[in-house]
Amino acid sequence: MGVSEGLSIGDIAARTGLAVSAIRYYEDEGLVAPWRNAGGRRRFQRADIRRLSFIMVAQQFGFTLAQIRVELDRLPRHRAPTKADWARISGTFRDGLNDRIARLEKLRDTLDGCIGCGCLSLEACALYNPADQAHGYGKGPRYLLGDAPAGQESV
């Protein structure tokens, strides 16, 4: 098969480890854009292997398809992405990962106290929210996420 003929969806599935249905889903989501040959079959560029692999890895790191789409939309469709293209994306994702890592470390460190507590010390509990005082900070377990009750340090 010549390069101009592109890769079949089966070829892409074999190279990425993705199910054909997943590749079709990503196509429906606009994350890859195969073309159709004269017989009406999907054909992919070799660069789509890297795009799909990036999607898989980014999802494993917890990024949403919407976040992934924003980054992939910045890549050229007519050529394989360059090292500079990927470096730009990795910088954006690195910032998000660093924020997530910091939150996970804080959660891990707080969780040690939570497991050992047995809820015998509600005054120090990061989940305890008497009279819904944390509502003003936003949704979710605000104290556990780092907001401090009035007059106390952040957990």
Side-chain angles (χ1 to χ4, degrees):
M1 173 186 75
V3 173
S4 62
E5 295 175 24
L7 298 168
S8 72
I9 197 166
D11 293 334
I12 292 288
R15 293 288 306 275
T16 62
L18 285 167
V20 168
S21 59
I23 297 168
R24 287 186 187 125
Y25 174 74
Y26 294 139
E27 177 187 358
D28 291 343
E29 291 292 312
L31 299 172
V32 290
W35 70 94
R36 302 284 178 157
N37 67 9
R41 296 186 181 264
R42 288 177 179 84
R43 290 297 187 217
F44 293 82
Q45 299 176 32
R46 288 198 179 280
D48 288 326
I49 295 169
R50 185 167 290 165
R51 289 176 75 90
L52 290 165
S53 297
F54 170 75
I55 293 165
M56 290 170 46
V57 169
Q59 283 186 300
Q60 288 175 1
F61 285 130
F63 291 100
T64 66
L65 284 183
Q67 292 169 312
I68 294 167
R69 181 181 298 104
V70 166
E71 296 305 320
L72 288 179
D73 283 348
R74 295 179 181 162
L75 293 176
R77 294 266 182 183
H78 62 282
R79 65 167 170 79
T82 65
K83 184 176 181 177
D85 294 326
W86 288 115
R88 187 179 61 251
I89 287 175
S90 70
T92 301
F93 273 42
R94 183 178 297 110
D95 293 343
L97 287 171
N98 285 338
D99 289 344
R100 188 170 293 135
I101 288 167
R103 285 193 315 254
L104 286 170
E105 286 176 338
K106 185 173 188 156
L107 179 61
R108 179 204 57 212
D109 295 345
T110 305
L111 193 59
D112 289 345
C114 197
I115 290 172
C117 167
C119 288
L120 298 175
S121 177
L122 291 179
E123 297 81 31
C125 181
L127 294 174
Y128 186 55
N129 181 17
D132 197 22
Q133 296 171 13
H135 179 265
Y137 293 115
K139 297 178 182 178
R142 299 313 315 167
Y143 299 150
L144 190 61
L145 294 173
D147 294 316
Q152 293 184 13
E153 285 186 39
S154 179
V155 178

